[in-house]
Structure formats: C-alpha cells, structure tokens
Amino acid sequence: MRRRGFLIALALPLLAGCPTATNEAPKAGEGGKLKIGFVVKSASEPWFQTEWKFAQQAADKYGFTLLKQPATDAEELDRTLNNLASQGAKGVVLCTPDTKLGPTIVAKCAEKNLKLFTVDDRLLDADGKPMHDVHYLGISASEIGKMVGQALVDEAKKRGWNPAEVGVAALTVDEIETCKERTDGATEVLLKNGFLEKNLFKNPWKKPNDIPAAVDAASTILTQHTDVKKWVAFSSNDDGVLGFVRASEQKNIPAESVIGIGINGTTAKDDFAKEKQTGMFASVLLSPKTHGFSTAEMMYLWIKDNKEPPKETFTKGQLIDRTNFKEKLKEEGME
C-alpha cells in the first residue's frame, strides 16, 4: 500500500532524467552553501554509514552542505525528497529502498528540480528493465560474483574437498539487479568447477541488510539438508554470508567445514578480527570511498559547473581475509 500511495502521489509525466529547469547557476542555500542530499535505504548498515562518511569528506573539500537522510520505504522516500527540495537542495545521490520505483522517483526529482544520481542499486523502469538514462554508479556485479565463486573454488581445493560432496548455499535477492548478478556470477563459476547443481540450495533473503533475516533463511537450508557435512556459502553482501555462518554455528557445524565469502568487507571485518577463524573466510572489499566521495563530488560539479557525470560508472573489488584485511581497509581509508 505504501508503494501504491507513492505511485499515486507521483502521477506525473515520466521523464528520462532529473535536470534542473534551466542552465542558470543554482541559488545558494542558507549560509551561501549549495545543498546536496545523500539518501540511503538503511542508516544502520555499515556500508551506507561509510558512504556517508566519504560523501561528507567531499562536502568538506568543496564547501557544500550534505543532507544525509535514510529512506527505508516508498512513503519515507517521498517525504524525504519533498524535504530535501524544501531545504533548498539542488541534487540528490540516492540508493533507493525499492528499485521498482524508478519512474516515479525520476518524475518526483523533475518536479522538485533535483538532479538525480543513483548509487549501488539501479532504478528499474515500468517493464522491470534498468533505467540506463539515469546516472548510476555501482559495482561490476557479475565480475565480482565470479570473483567470489573462484575464491570459493580455490579455498575448497586448498582444503582437499571433493566438490561433488559439498553443499552450496546461496542467499539470494533476485529482485534487485545488482544482487542477482552477484549470486549468478558465483553460481556460474562453482558449477563450472565441479560443484553439482543438485547440491546447490538457494533461499530468498527478504531483508538484504538484516543479519537475523539471513540467519532464518540459512537455517531453512541447513535444516533441510542435515546430511551435508561441508558447505560453501555466498550471497549479495557480507550480511547474507554472516547469516549463514551464524546459522551454521547454531547447528554446531565446525567452522572448518564452512567457507563463506561475502561482498563489501564492511561487516565481515568483525569476524576477521576474532581470535579464532569462523566460517566467514573472506570478502570482496568494495570501495565505499568511490561510492560516497566520488558520487557527491560528481553531483557537486554537475550542479555548480554543469559538468555532467558519465551515465554509468562501475567499480571493482579486492579479496580480503584475516591475513590482510587491516592493511586493505587502511588503504581504502576505512580504518
């Protein structure tokens, strides 16, 4: 109902982007500073907190005001965009709580004269296809998924595991394009390297930033397949894999019988710092600095100097584990 209400409230002509009405330089906000919104779908998720931190660094460097706001659903997003406009913001960097809201978000930004730059999750059009005309920065999802898959293959081989006897657990979020590409990429590599499709157990994960929800999804897999003694696990981010690891611990499965590899690095690092190895073996560290600082910087230059950013920018990642995570996090400015 919330999403429906948002759609009704935004029954406007659908536009391809969110340009300002004119090419004139925007008026400054209070204190003479230009204002830019940065809206994320979860203020409690470490990844988004880190994005905000780096976006603030861009604001400090260029002297604009960053308005950091969470929006966890369609209704809250509608209010947030209204509030940003009323505060004098001229643009918004956005990770949407619902990719299917694409056309209505675009129309809302046009109505409020907010330039729009999407980050992390790409907006979808009315047919469920990516909106390539909306500026977007995200990860090279398929390639990073394949990186996860290859790392799982390599570690299983190092441990002397027979792939045909190993359970493959995937917590999926197929309704979000970038999430599906990650898990599809990992699946492709595993199946090409001797892991069996009959031993591939997928379960949808309804709250992709909620570890307890991931524990529930993983527990279902483990309860249904108690005969499996060794597991490799992956998901769209660290939280999904941590959910599987916590569920395996609850089932008294030894840590050495689980190889979990996440994506992000922002929450996996807590397990890497533990005295004893857990089932959380590694993660692909992404670059929240690029996703936070660079998007805010590009938005600022787009508004101030009319320097339009590329329509699509894709970032890569690097594998981290207990042996190198401190060094790599420091290199990324995350420690």
Side-chain angles (χ1 to χ4, degrees):
M1 289 298 295
R2 288 181 173 179
R3 181 171 177 269
R4 184 180 178 186
F6 189 36
L7 293 171
I8 294 172
L10 298 174
L12 300 169
L14 303 184
L15 305 175
C18 291
T20 51
T22 71
N23 289 325
E24 296 177 3
K27 296 180 180 179
E30 294 178 9
K33 285 189 175 183
L34 184 151
K35 294 182 179 181
I36 294 172
F38 202 117
V39 179
V40 300
K41 61 184 178 181
S42 172
S44 62
E45 168 66 29
W47 170 260
F48 296 119
Q49 292 171 359
T50 310
E51 279 187 340
W52 273 350
K53 181 186 81 170
F54 287 119
Q56 186 60 54
Q57 289 180 7
D60 294 342
K61 175 180 178 179
Y62 290 102
F64 63 85
T65 297
L66 187 72
L67 304 173
K68 301 185 286 288
Q69 297 289 332
T72 59
D73 57 37
E75 203 170 273
E76 188 175 12
L77 179 57
D78 186 31
R79 291 195 302 269
T80 297
L81 293 175
N82 284 330
N83 289 338
L84 289 176
S86 68
Q87 292 181 70
K90 299 300 178 183
V92 59
V93 179
L94 169 67
C95 180
T96 177
D98 185 348
T99 57
K100 296 186 291 295
L101 293 172
T104 54
I105 291 171
V106 168
K108 185 72 172 186
C109 289
E111 177 198 0
K112 297 298 181 179
N113 272 348
L114 288 168
K115 288 185 181 293
L116 174 64
F117 197 128
T118 56
V119 65
D120 299 327
D121 297 346
R122 193 199 290 270
L123 300 181
L124 302 179
D125 63 19
D127 296 322
K129 296 180 180 179
M131 299 181 71
H132 294 286
D133 286 339
V134 179
H135 296 80
Y136 171 72
L137 185 146
I139 70 169
S140 302
S142 180
E143 293 307 309
I144 286 174
K146 291 176 182 177
M147 184 186 299
V148 169
Q150 189 59 54
L152 289 168
V153 168
D154 293 344
E155 181 58 22
K157 185 180 295 185
K158 184 178 178 181
R159 297 187 188 189
W161 290 7
N162 178 358
E165 298 175 352
V166 177
V168 180
L171 271 60
T172 59
V173 191
D174 285 353
E175 60 270 24
I176 299 178
E177 176 202 24
T178 183
C179 293
K180 186 176 188 304
E181 289 179 351
R182 299 175 205 188
T183 50
D184 284 354
T187 300
E188 178 184 334
V189 171
L190 287 164
L191 295 181
K192 284 182 177 179
N193 283 274
F195 291 81
L196 304 183
E197 190 160 8
K198 70 175 185 177
N199 294 337
L200 170 62
F201 309 115
K202 296 183 178 182
N203 204 25
W205 177 28
K206 298 302 182 184
K207 298 179 180 179
N209 296 300
D210 184 85
I211 294 176
V215 171
D216 290 342
S219 293
T220 300
I221 294 174
L222 291 170
T223 299
Q224 292 174 347
H225 303 285
T226 56
D227 56 315
V228 178
K229 304 305 179 184
K230 294 181 176 66
W231 290 92
V232 297
F234 59 96
S235 186
S236 55
N237 62 20
D238 283 351
D239 291 353
V241 179
L242 282 167
F244 184 88
V245 170
R246 298 289 94 88
S248 69
E249 292 167 348
Q250 292 173 8
K251 300 289 186 183
N252 296 314
I253 299 173
E256 57 267 24
S257 296
V258 177
I259 305 172
I261 298 183
I263 296 172
N264 281 358
T266 49
T267 47
K269 65 184 178 66
D270 295 333
D271 264 36
F272 299 157
K274 291 181 178 180
E275 184 178 351
K276 293 184 178 180
Q277 172 80 56
T278 73
M280 190 75 194
F281 176 74
S283 179
V284 177
L285 178 65
L286 305 181
S287 178
K289 182 173 184 179
T290 302
H291 289 236
F293 185 97
S294 296
T295 53
E297 177 184 51
M298 286 190 280
M299 176 59 78
Y300 171 77
L301 296 174
W302 190 11
I303 296 169
K304 181 177 178 294
D305 299 333
N306 202 29
K307 183 180 178 181
E308 184 177 356
K311 282 290 174 65
E312 296 179 336
T313 303
F314 295 99
T315 62
K316 298 180 179 180
Q318 55 185 321
L319 199 69
I320 61 171
D321 57 25
R322 290 169 64 86
T323 67
N324 68 353
F325 78 99
K326 291 182 180 179
E327 172 192 350
K328 297 302 181 181
L329 289 170
K330 187 174 181 179
E331 289 176 2
E332 285 291 324
M334 296 168 64
E335 285 290 332

